[in-house]
PDB file of all heavy atoms in Angstrom:
ATOM      1  N   ARG A   1       0.806  -1.149  -0.098  1.00  0.00           N
ATOM      2  CA  ARG A   1      -0.004  -0.029  -0.022  1.00  0.00           C
ATOM      3  C   ARG A   1       0.792   1.262   0.033  1.00  0.00           C
ATOM      4  O   ARG A   1       0.520   2.199  -0.687  1.00  0.00           O
ATOM      5  CB  ARG A   1      -0.998  -0.039   1.192  1.00  0.00           C
ATOM      6  CG  ARG A   1      -2.149  -0.789   1.073  1.00  0.00           C
ATOM      7  CD  ARG A   1      -3.232  -0.521   2.176  1.00  0.00           C
ATOM      8  NE  ARG A   1      -2.676  -0.529   3.513  1.00  0.00           N
ATOM      9  CZ  ARG A   1      -2.654  -1.666   4.271  1.00  0.00           C
ATOM     10  NH1 ARG A   1      -3.138  -2.685   3.780  1.00  0.00           N
ATOM     11  NH2 ARG A   1      -2.263  -1.610   5.541  1.00  0.00           N
ATOM     12  N   SER A   2       1.885   1.249   0.852  1.00  0.00           N
ATOM     13  CA  SER A   2       2.771   2.369   0.922  1.00  0.00           C
ATOM     14  C   SER A   2       3.481   2.543  -0.594  1.00  0.00           C
ATOM     15  O   SER A   2       3.620   3.686  -0.908  1.00  0.00           O
ATOM     16  CB  SER A   2       3.803   2.194   1.916  1.00  0.00           C
ATOM     17  OG  SER A   2       3.177   2.215   3.186  1.00  0.00           O
ATOM     18  N   GLY A   3       3.962   1.446  -1.079  1.00  0.00           N
ATOM     19  CA  GLY A   3       4.573   1.644  -2.360  1.00  0.00           C
ATOM     20  C   GLY A   3       3.703   2.165  -3.406  1.00  0.00           C
ATOM     21  O   GLY A   3       4.023   2.913  -4.322  1.00  0.00           O
ATOM     22  N   ALA A   4       2.395   1.690  -3.411  1.00  0.00           N
ATOM     23  CA  ALA A   4       1.350   2.207  -4.269  1.00  0.00           C
ATOM     24  C   ALA A   4       1.243   3.664  -4.056  1.00  0.00           C
ATOM     25  O   ALA A   4       1.124   4.469  -5.125  1.00  0.00           O
ATOM     26  CB  ALA A   4       0.151   1.532  -4.086  1.00  0.00           C
ATOM     27  N   ALA A   5       1.167   4.186  -2.914  1.00  0.00           N
ATOM     28  CA  ALA A   5       0.881   5.558  -2.649  1.00  0.00           C
ATOM     29  C   ALA A   5       2.130   6.341  -3.134  1.00  0.00           C
ATOM     30  O   ALA A   5       2.028   7.381  -3.676  1.00  0.00           O
ATOM     31  CB  ALA A   5       0.806   5.822  -1.280  1.00  0.00           C
ATOM     32  N   ILE A   6       3.326   5.884  -2.822  1.00  0.00           N
ATOM     33  CA  ILE A   6       4.610   6.573  -3.461  1.00  0.00           C
ATOM     34  C   ILE A   6       4.685   6.594  -4.968  1.00  0.00           C
ATOM     35  O   ILE A   6       5.002   7.490  -5.542  1.00  0.00           O
ATOM     36  CB  ILE A   6       5.775   5.895  -2.718  1.00  0.00           C
ATOM     37  CG1 ILE A   6       5.807   6.154  -1.117  1.00  0.00           C
ATOM     38  CG2 ILE A   6       7.055   6.461  -3.313  1.00  0.00           C
ATOM     39  CD1 ILE A   6       6.788   5.411  -0.381  1.00  0.00           C
ATOM     40  N   LEU A   7       4.326   5.449  -5.535  1.00  0.00           N
ATOM     41  CA  LEU A   7       4.315   5.311  -6.944  1.00  0.00           C
ATOM     42  C   LEU A   7       3.229   6.394  -7.486  1.00  0.00           C
ATOM     43  O   LEU A   7       3.498   6.997  -8.579  1.00  0.00           O
ATOM     44  CB  LEU A   7       4.180   3.961  -7.445  1.00  0.00           C
ATOM     45  CG  LEU A   7       5.364   3.023  -7.301  1.00  0.00           C
ATOM     46  CD1 LEU A   7       4.916   1.618  -7.515  1.00  0.00           C
ATOM     47  CD2 LEU A   7       6.512   3.443  -8.201  1.00  0.00           C
ATOM     48  N   GLY A   8       2.130   6.352  -6.780  1.00  0.00           N
ATOM     49  CA  GLY A   8       1.124   7.330  -7.295  1.00  0.00           C
ATOM     50  C   GLY A   8       1.651   8.816  -7.152  1.00  0.00           C
ATOM     51  O   GLY A   8       1.305   9.580  -7.934  1.00  0.00           O
ATOM     52  N   ALA A   9       2.307   9.112  -6.140  1.00  0.00           N
ATOM     53  CA  ALA A   9       2.937  10.395  -5.817  1.00  0.00           C
ATOM     54  C   ALA A   9       3.806  10.690  -6.973  1.00  0.00           C
ATOM     55  O   ALA A   9       3.876  11.863  -7.497  1.00  0.00           O
ATOM     56  CB  ALA A   9       3.596  10.585  -4.442  1.00  0.00           C
ATOM     57  N   ILE A  10       4.673   9.815  -7.391  1.00  0.00           N
ATOM     58  CA  ILE A  10       5.583  10.137  -8.509  1.00  0.00           C
ATOM     59  C   ILE A  10       4.796  10.350  -9.780  1.00  0.00           C
ATOM     60  O   ILE A  10       5.247  11.166 -10.641  1.00  0.00           O
ATOM     61  CB  ILE A  10       6.547   8.883  -8.688  1.00  0.00           C
ATOM     62  CG1 ILE A  10       7.507   8.781  -7.412  1.00  0.00           C
ATOM     63  CG2 ILE A  10       7.368   9.054  -9.983  1.00  0.00           C
ATOM     64  CD1 ILE A  10       8.357   7.631  -7.403  1.00  0.00           C
ATOM     65  N   THR A  11       3.720   9.469 -10.110  1.00  0.00           N
ATOM     66  CA  THR A  11       2.965   9.715 -11.178  1.00  0.00           C
ATOM     67  C   THR A  11       2.276  11.077 -11.230  1.00  0.00           C
ATOM     68  O   THR A  11       2.336  11.875 -12.269  1.00  0.00           O
ATOM     69  CB  THR A  11       1.744   8.750 -11.203  1.00  0.00           C
ATOM     70  OG1 THR A  11       2.284   7.370 -11.170  1.00  0.00           O
ATOM     71  CG2 THR A  11       0.800   8.928 -12.448  1.00  0.00           C
ATOM     72  N   VAL A  12       1.724  11.552 -10.167  1.00  0.00           N
ATOM     73  CA  VAL A  12       1.123  12.954  -9.965  1.00  0.00           C
ATOM     74  C   VAL A  12       2.284  14.051 -10.099  1.00  0.00           C
ATOM     75  O   VAL A  12       1.980  15.015 -10.811  1.00  0.00           O
ATOM     76  CB  VAL A  12       0.351  13.046  -8.658  1.00  0.00           C
ATOM     77  CG1 VAL A  12       0.100  14.457  -8.366  1.00  0.00           C
ATOM     78  CG2 VAL A  12      -0.703  12.185  -8.599  1.00  0.00           C
ATOM     79  N   ALA A  13       3.473  13.717  -9.612  1.00  0.00           N
ATOM     80  CA  ALA A  13       4.598  14.606  -9.865  1.00  0.00           C
ATOM     81  C   ALA A  13       4.850  14.932 -11.224  1.00  0.00           C
ATOM     82  O   ALA A  13       5.138  15.987 -11.768  1.00  0.00           O
ATOM     83  CB  ALA A  13       5.723  14.266  -8.902  1.00  0.00           C
ATOM     84  N   LEU A  14       4.947  13.821 -11.964  1.00  0.00           N
ATOM     85  CA  LEU A  14       5.226  13.921 -13.402  1.00  0.00           C
ATOM     86  C   LEU A  14       4.193  14.666 -14.143  1.00  0.00           C
ATOM     87  O   LEU A  14       4.391  15.480 -15.027  1.00  0.00           O
ATOM     88  CB  LEU A  14       5.442  12.417 -13.936  1.00  0.00           C
ATOM     89  CG  LEU A  14       6.790  11.802 -13.711  1.00  0.00           C
ATOM     90  CD1 LEU A  14       6.535  10.308 -13.981  1.00  0.00           C
ATOM     91  CD2 LEU A  14       7.810  12.401 -14.482  1.00  0.00           C
ATOM     92  N   TYR A  15       2.919  14.312 -13.840  1.00  0.00           N
ATOM     93  CA  TYR A  15       1.817  14.951 -14.574  1.00  0.00           C
ATOM     94  C   TYR A  15       1.848  16.504 -14.227  1.00  0.00           C
ATOM     95  O   TYR A  15       1.548  17.264 -15.081  1.00  0.00           O
ATOM     96  CB  TYR A  15       0.476  14.250 -14.100  1.00  0.00           C
ATOM     97  CG  TYR A  15      -0.660  14.666 -14.949  1.00  0.00           C
ATOM     98  CD1 TYR A  15      -0.904  14.069 -16.158  1.00  0.00           C
ATOM     99  CD2 TYR A  15      -1.545  15.635 -14.508  1.00  0.00           C
ATOM    100  CE1 TYR A  15      -1.915  14.507 -16.991  1.00  0.00           C
ATOM    101  CE2 TYR A  15      -2.673  16.101 -15.324  1.00  0.00           C
ATOM    102  CZ  TYR A  15      -2.846  15.401 -16.517  1.00  0.00           C
ATOM    103  OH  TYR A  15      -3.988  15.748 -17.335  1.00  0.00           O
ATOM    104  N   THR A  16       2.129  16.750 -13.039  1.00  0.00           N
ATOM    105  CA  THR A  16       2.258  18.292 -12.605  1.00  0.00           C
ATOM    106  C   THR A  16       3.246  18.920 -13.352  1.00  0.00           C
ATOM    107  O   THR A  16       3.154  20.071 -13.733  1.00  0.00           O
ATOM    108  CB  THR A  16       2.445  18.387 -11.083  1.00  0.00           C
ATOM    109  OG1 THR A  16       1.351  17.665 -10.451  1.00  0.00           O
ATOM    110  CG2 THR A  16       2.326  19.821 -10.568  1.00  0.00           C
ATOM    111  N   TRP A  17       4.454  18.259 -13.505  1.00  0.00           N
ATOM    112  CA  TRP A  17       5.556  18.848 -14.302  1.00  0.00           C
ATOM    113  C   TRP A  17       5.095  19.150 -15.656  1.00  0.00           C
ATOM    114  O   TRP A  17       5.340  20.266 -16.221  1.00  0.00           O
ATOM    115  CB  TRP A  17       6.766  17.900 -14.188  1.00  0.00           C
ATOM    116  CG  TRP A  17       7.994  18.524 -14.834  1.00  0.00           C
ATOM    117  CD1 TRP A  17       8.621  17.930 -15.963  1.00  0.00           C
ATOM    118  CD2 TRP A  17       8.719  19.606 -14.599  1.00  0.00           C
ATOM    119  NE1 TRP A  17       9.619  18.603 -16.343  1.00  0.00           N
ATOM    120  CE2 TRP A  17       9.823  19.606 -15.465  1.00  0.00           C
ATOM    121  CE3 TRP A  17       8.554  20.609 -13.570  1.00  0.00           C
ATOM    122  CZ2 TRP A  17      10.617  20.763 -15.476  1.00  0.00           C
ATOM    123  CZ3 TRP A  17       9.594  21.573 -13.536  1.00  0.00           C
ATOM    124  CH2 TRP A  17      10.615  21.747 -14.499  1.00  0.00           C
ATOM    125  N   GLY A  18       4.295  18.280 -16.280  1.00  0.00           N
ATOM    126  CA  GLY A  18       3.765  18.442 -17.734  1.00  0.00           C
ATOM    127  C   GLY A  18       2.756  19.590 -17.747  1.00  0.00           C
ATOM    128  O   GLY A  18       2.799  20.297 -18.554  1.00  0.00           O
ATOM    129  N   LEU A  19       1.987  19.672 -16.726  1.00  0.00           N
ATOM    130  CA  LEU A  19       0.949  20.791 -16.483  1.00  0.00           C
ATOM    131  C   LEU A  19       1.743  22.154 -16.330  1.00  0.00           C
ATOM    132  O   LEU A  19       1.197  23.229 -16.960  1.00  0.00           O
ATOM    133  CB  LEU A  19       0.010  20.549 -15.309  1.00  0.00           C
ATOM    134  CG  LEU A  19      -1.030  19.549 -15.391  1.00  0.00           C
ATOM    135  CD1 LEU A  19      -1.726  19.367 -14.065  1.00  0.00           C
ATOM    136  CD2 LEU A  19      -1.956  19.820 -16.470  1.00  0.00           C
ATOM    137  N   LEU A  20       2.835  22.222 -15.671  1.00  0.00           N
ATOM    138  CA  LEU A  20       3.531  23.551 -15.583  1.00  0.00           C
ATOM    139  C   LEU A  20       4.111  23.869 -16.970  1.00  0.00           C
ATOM    140  O   LEU A  20       4.083  25.101 -17.286  1.00  0.00           O
ATOM    141  CB  LEU A  20       4.723  23.333 -14.571  1.00  0.00           C
ATOM    142  CG  LEU A  20       4.194  23.220 -13.078  1.00  0.00           C
ATOM    143  CD1 LEU A  20       5.347  22.811 -12.148  1.00  0.00           C
ATOM    144  CD2 LEU A  20       3.487  24.526 -12.638  1.00  0.00           C
ATOM    145  N   HIS A  21       4.593  23.034 -17.816  1.00  0.00           N
ATOM    146  CA  HIS A  21       4.918  23.194 -19.074  1.00  0.00           C
ATOM    147  C   HIS A  21       3.812  23.689 -19.846  1.00  0.00           C
ATOM    148  O   HIS A  21       3.949  24.707 -20.700  1.00  0.00           O
ATOM    149  CB  HIS A  21       5.559  21.947 -19.877  1.00  0.00           C
ATOM    150  CG  HIS A  21       6.978  21.653 -19.440  1.00  0.00           C
ATOM    151  ND1 HIS A  21       7.184  20.996 -18.162  1.00  0.00           N
ATOM    152  CD2 HIS A  21       8.219  21.969 -19.950  1.00  0.00           C
ATOM    153  CE1 HIS A  21       8.566  20.835 -18.107  1.00  0.00           C
ATOM    154  NE2 HIS A  21       9.263  21.441 -19.123  1.00  0.00           N
ATOM    155  N   LEU A  22       2.687  23.128 -19.754  1.00  0.00           N
ATOM    156  CA  LEU A  22       1.516  23.504 -20.544  1.00  0.00           C
ATOM    157  C   LEU A  22       0.988  24.983 -20.120  1.00  0.00           C
ATOM    158  O   LEU A  22       0.710  25.772 -20.843  1.00  0.00           O
ATOM    159  CB  LEU A  22       0.362  22.530 -20.375  1.00  0.00           C
ATOM    160  CG  LEU A  22       0.373  21.284 -21.212  1.00  0.00           C
ATOM    161  CD1 LEU A  22      -0.748  20.450 -20.887  1.00  0.00           C
ATOM    162  CD2 LEU A  22       0.460  21.578 -22.662  1.00  0.00           C
ATOM    163  N   ALA A  23       1.125  25.305 -18.799  1.00  0.00           N
ATOM    164  CA  ALA A  23       0.789  26.621 -18.301  1.00  0.00           C
ATOM    165  C   ALA A  23       1.671  27.653 -19.014  1.00  0.00           C
ATOM    166  O   ALA A  23       1.209  28.681 -19.328  1.00  0.00           O
ATOM    167  CB  ALA A  23       0.905  26.693 -16.800  1.00  0.00           C
ATOM    168  N   GLY A  24       2.963  27.371 -19.158  1.00  0.00           N
ATOM    169  CA  GLY A  24       3.885  28.200 -19.798  1.00  0.00           C
ATOM    170  C   GLY A  24       3.482  28.526 -21.176  1.00  0.00           C
ATOM    171  O   GLY A  24       3.575  29.546 -21.678  1.00  0.00           O
ATOM    172  N   ALA A  25       3.066  27.395 -21.907  1.00  0.00           N
ATOM    173  CA  ALA A  25       2.718  27.442 -23.252  1.00  0.00           C
ATOM    174  C   ALA A  25       1.407  28.215 -23.450  1.00  0.00           C
ATOM    175  O   ALA A  25       1.243  29.098 -24.365  1.00  0.00           O
ATOM    176  CB  ALA A  25       2.462  26.127 -23.876  1.00  0.00           C
ATOM    177  N   VAL A  26       0.439  28.085 -22.531  1.00  0.00           N
ATOM    178  CA  VAL A  26      -0.908  28.784 -22.528  1.00  0.00           C
ATOM    179  C   VAL A  26      -0.689  30.273 -22.366  1.00  0.00           C
ATOM    180  O   VAL A  26      -1.209  31.161 -23.097  1.00  0.00           O
ATOM    181  CB  VAL A  26      -1.813  28.216 -21.540  1.00  0.00           C
ATOM    182  CG1 VAL A  26      -3.023  29.116 -21.421  1.00  0.00           C
ATOM    183  CG2 VAL A  26      -2.309  26.878 -21.933  1.00  0.00           C
ATOM    184  N   ILE A  27       0.265  30.623 -21.445  1.00  0.00           N
ATOM    185  CA  ILE A  27       0.558  32.017 -21.131  1.00  0.00           C
ATOM    186  C   ILE A  27       1.254  32.609 -22.408  1.00  0.00           C
ATOM    187  O   ILE A  27       0.891  33.717 -22.876  1.00  0.00           O
ATOM    188  CB  ILE A  27       1.450  32.101 -20.046  1.00  0.00           C
ATOM    189  CG1 ILE A  27       0.717  31.910 -18.642  1.00  0.00           C
ATOM    190  CG2 ILE A  27       2.016  33.617 -19.952  1.00  0.00           C
ATOM    191  CD1 ILE A  27       1.456  31.679 -17.516  1.00  0.00           C
ATOM    192  N   GLY A  28       2.056  31.823 -23.114  1.00  0.00           N
ATOM    193  CA  GLY A  28       2.733  32.308 -24.291  1.00  0.00           C
ATOM    194  C   GLY A  28       1.903  32.311 -25.595  1.00  0.00           C
ATOM    195  O   GLY A  28       2.318  32.905 -26.529  1.00  0.00           O
TER     196      GLY A  28
END
């Protein structure tokens, strides 16, 4: 369960990193 949560956190971190790139593109 802990491993699933940590892997889920990594998944969300990667997705958030992509969202931040998109936010920069939308502003641009």
Side-chain angles (χ1 to χ4, degrees):
R1 279 195 309 272
S2 296
I6 292 166
L7 289 168
I10 294 169
T11 304
V12 173
L14 285 165
Y15 194 80
T16 305
W17 183 240
L19 286 175
L20 290 171
H21 281 84
L22 283 177
V26 168
I27 291 169

